[in-house]
């Protein structure tokens, strides 16, 4: 056989691997969020965990992707280690689905319908349908389905190309002699592990072995150790992905490696002990695609069922090897933004939202602390506000960078809108934190310079401060819950705070003219009013973000026009809310609608 005649093997392998990547990516994109929510709601029932891991991996066609997703959830603190281990075991079972699909090549030609299911016939059909859907369908979901069909068709077509290219090798004596080397089971295990580590997919390496089986050179004695090695080699991808992860994530990866290694040892000992004592009658018979798929399934199913009752022991062993480390609260919150979750952008965005919720809570608390300093200043409390401001800056930087990383992925329109919204929101929350720090610095300046306000000025600041505390509470709660009604009610209170600022400045000017207030105290007073009003502005922007999310359009929605329309032609509900807040935070001069 000439070298030129062997070149199509590279095309076959390339199509096969690219098809697997395309299929897995499209399936994960289409169903990633739903699968993620199922993983989050996982109960302590081990069998459900195994079934869940099996189902997820069967859908996305990659045990590594499922395991990496679980590692990301462990890093984010969403899943417990005891819940994660059964899912990883199930993922090992789910990865055998690809091999079972590829066994369709063993179907005979007697029945027309069955012959159409063979890779050689079914592959081109799927490629044609998938390409047509991807090119001509306008809806994103249908395009994704087209990519799934295209990927599956490429797997079948690549498989058929490999088989056709390798088929003539069965008549080559040297080719059969090569495989006699792997009668040494240790070399076979090493080959299987290396093959899977390089391809980073046990499904792909098993598929290539199935293609080789068409030559008839792959016997049970040759294939069994290779398959055992393939199941250990698939752990390499997850091990590399876990570098830099939290301890529980590393423990999960350790357990994955330990499980597959133990399974390999158990099967190796049982099979070769039986072969040495009694001997398998089929040991030197050629192995078919179906035989390879069945043994691959048997290994993973058997290993999972054998070790499932010993999850507690596996976790104890993992904890002995991977020790705990201390972590502060802020770092723990930001750990929800795990880079491993970037492979599923919708999940990563959900984690961003959780981090934003925590950030908004810290900002609101910091505003309250800063306001309290005006009445009771202590250096210790000022330092707390300052430290929280540094935390908010860290949150803003980390969340923004993470969102930028998410937006570099292939996002759906809905995910793009969510990412755009959150990029705006993180900036608004960070600015609220800045104004809290400004208020604290005014309190420190007053304390250091012996500046105090008149009783009348304190009452005015308390009134406006109360309104700011309330609008901040509403804004944060509305953003947490995505409560449209509460989000709409933010703007009337914001307008009342704007009115209060104008009126209180006018009253303050009167005091200055009457000599009731000195200039230094007046500067601090105006600075506080300005920061109070700015906080309410950012709360208003959070309310707008909630309304935008409800409108489901971040590009055509003009927030300035929306606010202007509310002020020029207020609805009866808006007027009622405005007058309620105006009465609640009333001062000497009022201006009802």
């Amino acid at each position: 056989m000439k070298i030129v005649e062997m070149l199509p093997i590279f095309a076959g392998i390339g199509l096969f691997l690219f098809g697997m990547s395309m299929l897995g990516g499209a399936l994960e994109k289409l169903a990633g969020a739903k699968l993620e929510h199922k993983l989050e709601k996982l109960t302590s029932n081990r069998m459900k965990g195994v079934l869940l891991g099996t189902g997820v991996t069967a859908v996305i066609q990659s045990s590594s992707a499922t395991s990496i997703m679980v590692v990301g959830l462990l890093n984010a603190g969403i899943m417990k280690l005891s819940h994660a281990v059964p899912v990883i075991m199930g993922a090992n079972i789910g990865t055998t689905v690809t091999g079972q699909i590829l066994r369709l090549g063993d179907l005979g030609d007697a029945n027309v319908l069955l012959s159409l299911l063979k890779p050689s016939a079914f592959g081109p059909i799927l490629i044609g349908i998938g390409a047509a859907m991807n090119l001509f369908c306008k809806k994103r979901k249908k395009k994704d389905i087209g990519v799934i069909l295209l990927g599956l068709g490429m797997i079948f077509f690549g498989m058929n190309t490999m088989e056709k290219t390798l088929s003539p090798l069965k008549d080559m004596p040297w080719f059969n002699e090569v495989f006699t080397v792997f009668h040494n089971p240790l070399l076979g295990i090493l080959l299987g592990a290396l093959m899977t580590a390089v391809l980073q997919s046990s499904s792909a390496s098993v598929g290539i072995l199935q293609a080789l089986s068409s030559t008839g050179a792959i016997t049970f004695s040759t294939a069994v150790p290779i398959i055992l090695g393939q199941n250990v080699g698939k752990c390499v991808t997850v091990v590399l992905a876990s570098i830099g992860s939290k301890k529980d994530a590393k423990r999960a990866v350790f357990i994955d490696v330990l499980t597959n290694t133990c399974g390999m040892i158990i099967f190796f000992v049982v099979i070769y002990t039986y072969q040495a004592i009694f001997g398998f009658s089929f040991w030197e018979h050629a192995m078919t695609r179906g035989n390879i798929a069945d043994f691959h399934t048997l290994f993973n199913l058997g290993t999972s069922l054998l070790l499932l009752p010993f999850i507690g022991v596996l976790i104890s062993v993992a904890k002995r090897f991977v020790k705990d480390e201390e972590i502060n609260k802020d770092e723990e919150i930001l750990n929800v933004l795990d880079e491993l979750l970037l492979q599923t952008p919708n999940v990563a965005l959900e984690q961003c939202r959780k981090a934003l919720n925590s950030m908004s809570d810290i900002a609101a608390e910091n505003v309250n602390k800063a306001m309290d300093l005006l009445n009771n200043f202590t250096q210790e409390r000022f330092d707390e506000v300052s430290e929280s401001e540094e935390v908010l800056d860290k949150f803003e930087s980390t969340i923004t960078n993470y969102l930028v990383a998410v937006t570099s992925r292939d996002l759906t329109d809905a995910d793009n809108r969510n990412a755009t919204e959150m990029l705006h929101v993180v900036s608004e929350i960070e600015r609220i934190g800045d104004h809290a720090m400004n208020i604290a610095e005014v309190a420190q300046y007053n304390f250091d310079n012996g500046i105090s306000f008149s009783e009348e000025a304190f009452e005015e600041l308390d009134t406006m401060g109360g309104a700011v505390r309330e609008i901040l509470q509403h804004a944060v709660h509305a953003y947490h819950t995505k409560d449209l009604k509460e989000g709409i009610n933010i703007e009337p209170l914001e307008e009342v705070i704007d009115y209060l600022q104008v009126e209180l400045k006018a009253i303050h000017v009167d005091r200055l003219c009457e000599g009731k207030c000195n200039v230094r105290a007046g500067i601090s007073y105006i600075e506080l009013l300005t920061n109070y009003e700015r906080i309410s502005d950012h709360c208003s922007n959070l309310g707008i973000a909630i309304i935008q999310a409800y409108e489901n359009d971040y590009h055509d929605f003009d927030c300035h026009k929306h606010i202007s329309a509310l002020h020029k032609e207020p609805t009866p509900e808006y007027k009622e809310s405005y007058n309620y807040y105006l009465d609640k935070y009333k001062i000497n001069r009022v201006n009802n609608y």
Side-chain angles (χ1 to χ4, degrees):
M1 189 176 184
K2 297 179 181 179
I3 293 178
V4 176
E5 294 173 342
M6 287 293 296
L7 293 180
I9 189 66
F10 297 108
I13 293 173
L15 285 170
F16 182 80
L17 296 177
F18 185 69
M20 288 202 69
S21 176
M22 183 183 290
L23 175 65
L27 284 167
E28 190 172 350
K29 187 177 177 182
L30 191 66
K34 294 178 182 177
L35 297 175
E36 176 67 20
H37 290 312
K38 287 182 181 294
L39 284 170
E40 285 189 39
K41 295 177 182 178
L42 183 64
T43 66
S44 58
N45 187 306
R46 292 177 179 180
M47 190 52 66
K48 284 184 180 179
V50 172
L51 293 174
L52 184 60
T54 302
V56 170
T57 306
V59 169
I60 64 178
Q61 294 286 294
S62 172
S63 61
S64 295
T66 304
S67 297
I68 289 171
M69 188 188 299
V70 169
V71 168
L73 291 172
L74 284 166
N75 267 349
I78 296 172
M79 184 179 284
K80 294 181 180 179
L81 183 59
S82 57
H83 294 171
V85 175
V87 178
I88 291 174
M89 287 183 172
N92 291 330
I93 299 172
T95 195
T96 64
V97 170
T98 307
Q100 294 294 346
I101 293 173
L102 293 175
R103 75 180 302 166
L104 294 173
D106 287 336
L107 293 173
D109 298 322
N111 187 299
V112 176
L113 291 176
L114 289 178
S115 63
L116 285 175
L117 292 175
K118 296 181 68 174
S120 57
F122 201 38
I125 294 172
L126 290 176
I127 290 174
I129 296 172
M133 288 182 69
N134 191 44
L135 289 172
F136 302 115
C137 290
K138 294 183 178 180
K139 291 186 177 180
R140 186 61 175 262
K141 189 173 182 179
K142 288 184 178 179
K143 281 182 171 290
D144 288 339
I145 293 172
V147 174
I148 290 170
L149 296 178
L150 188 59
L152 189 58
M154 290 177 72
I155 290 173
F156 283 163
F157 196 82
M159 182 80 169
N160 188 52
T161 302
M162 285 190 286
E163 289 177 354
K164 283 183 177 180
T165 307
L166 293 170
S167 184
L169 293 177
K170 63 185 177 183
D171 299 322
M172 305 289 177
W174 64 267
F175 182 73
N176 290 281
E177 289 174 6
V178 167
F179 280 93
T180 60
V181 176
F182 297 108
H183 279 241
N184 182 327
L186 296 179
L187 287 177
I189 290 170
L190 182 61
L191 173 65
L194 288 174
M195 182 190 296
T196 308
V198 171
L199 296 176
Q200 296 202 6
S201 170
S202 63
S203 297
S205 61
V206 169
I208 291 174
L209 187 64
Q210 285 177 296
L212 281 168
S213 70
S214 65
T215 65
I218 306 297
T219 63
F220 281 86
S221 62
T222 303
V224 165
I226 293 175
I227 296 171
L228 293 178
Q230 286 171 334
N231 283 284
V232 175
K234 69 184 177 186
C235 300
V236 172
T237 305
V238 186
V239 170
L240 293 175
S242 70
I243 295 173
S245 297
K246 286 174 63 179
K247 294 303 177 184
D248 270 354
K250 289 180 178 177
R251 286 166 183 159
V253 173
F254 178 86
I255 291 171
D256 188 27
V257 175
L258 185 62
T259 298
N260 283 285
T261 303
C262 287
M264 183 269 290
I265 293 171
I266 292 169
F267 270 77
F268 183 88
V269 170
V270 171
I271 290 171
Y272 283 92
T273 298
Y274 186 91
Q275 171 62 18
I277 299 174
F278 304 104
F280 294 103
S281 59
F282 52 80
W283 196 238
E284 297 301 331
H285 291 182
M287 213 172 187
T288 64
R289 297 182 194 84
N291 295 146
I292 292 171
D294 288 341
F295 183 71
H296 188 217
T297 301
L298 176 65
F299 173 86
N300 286 285
L301 184 61
T303 299
S304 296
L305 293 178
L306 279 171
L307 298 180
L308 190 61
F310 302 102
I311 285 178
V313 176
L314 292 171
I315 291 175
S316 297
V317 172
K319 285 183 176 179
R320 288 181 66 103
F321 281 87
V322 185
K323 303 293 184 182
D324 284 312
E325 63 181 10
E326 291 187 4
I327 184 168
N328 66 47
K329 185 179 179 181
D330 302 324
E331 288 177 345
E332 190 172 359
I333 294 171
L334 288 175
N335 274 332
V336 301
L337 306 180
D338 193 272
E339 290 186 7
L340 296 176
L341 297 179
L342 292 174
Q343 296 185 37
T344 49
N346 42 18
V347 178
L349 288 172
E350 186 61 31
Q351 297 306 98
C352 281
R353 194 171 297 282
K354 291 177 181 178
L356 279 172
N357 287 344
S358 298
M359 183 182 179
S360 63
D361 287 336
I362 294 170
E365 184 181 0
N366 223 32
V367 170
N368 289 323
K369 285 180 179 178
M371 287 182 175
D372 291 341
L373 286 173
L374 294 170
N375 295 316
N376 184 18
F377 183 88
T378 65
Q379 188 60 44
E380 183 181 356
R381 290 179 180 177
F382 177 85
D383 290 341
E384 287 179 9
V385 175
S386 182
E387 287 171 7
S388 292
E389 168 58 15
E390 290 178 5
V391 169
L392 288 171
D393 288 342
K394 182 179 179 181
F395 266 71
E396 191 267 342
S397 174
T398 304
I399 294 173
T400 299
N401 290 337
Y402 193 78
L403 282 169
V404 170
V406 173
T407 55
S408 67
R409 305 287 172 136
D410 186 16
L411 302 181
T412 62
D413 291 339
D415 287 341
N416 254 321
R417 288 194 296 268
N418 286 334
T420 302
E421 172 222 316
M422 284 187 272
L423 280 168
H424 288 302
V425 167
V426 69
S427 177
E428 301 295 343
I429 297 173
E430 193 274 334
R431 292 297 295 145
I432 289 173
D434 287 344
H435 292 301
M437 193 64 218
N438 291 344
I439 293 169
E441 287 172 349
V442 171
Q444 184 184 48
Y445 177 80
N446 288 354
F447 180 79
D448 291 343
N449 293 278
I451 296 172
S452 62
F453 299 125
S454 65
E455 185 176 341
E456 186 181 42
F458 260 124
E459 288 179 359
E460 292 165 358
L461 287 172
D462 282 343
T463 298
M464 189 169 177
V468 171
R469 290 178 197 264
E470 182 168 354
I471 195 174
L472 189 55
Q473 180 184 357
H474 285 320
V476 170
H477 185 261
Y479 187 74
H480 280 213
T481 59
K482 296 302 172 189
D483 188 329
L484 178 64
K485 184 177 180 181
E486 191 168 8
I488 290 173
N489 283 330
I490 290 171
E491 191 57 34
L493 181 52
E494 195 278 332
E495 190 177 357
V496 167
I497 292 171
D498 285 347
Y499 167 76
L500 285 173
Q501 183 198 28
V502 173
E503 291 299 305
L504 291 179
K505 279 185 177 180
I507 293 171
H508 173 65
V509 171
D510 291 343
R511 277 199 298 269
L512 282 173
C513 293
E514 295 170 6
K516 294 180 179 179
C517 179
N518 64 60
V519 175
R520 295 175 74 190
I523 292 172
S524 293
Y525 182 85
I526 296 298
E527 182 75 14
L528 290 172
L529 292 183
T530 301
N531 281 286
Y532 283 4
E533 190 275 332
R534 295 282 172 80
I535 290 172
S536 74
D537 285 344
H538 294 298
C539 289
S540 172
N541 292 339
L542 286 178
I544 292 297
I546 297 164
I547 296 170
Q548 282 179 306
Y550 182 79
E551 294 289 340
N552 205 29
D553 192 345
Y554 293 93
H555 302 293
D556 297 331
F557 187 92
D558 190 323
C559 61
H560 298 292
K561 286 184 179 179
H562 173 79
I563 294 174
S564 179
L566 282 177
H567 291 179
K568 287 180 180 179
E569 298 179 7
T571 63
E573 293 81 8
Y574 187 95
K575 291 179 182 179
E576 181 183 355
S577 184
Y578 175 86
N579 288 324
Y580 166 78
Y581 287 124
L582 193 61
D583 183 63
K584 183 175 182 179
Y585 298 107
K586 60 186 175 184
I587 53 175
N588 293 332
R589 287 173 279 187
V590 296
N591 181 29
N592 290 20
Y593 277 110

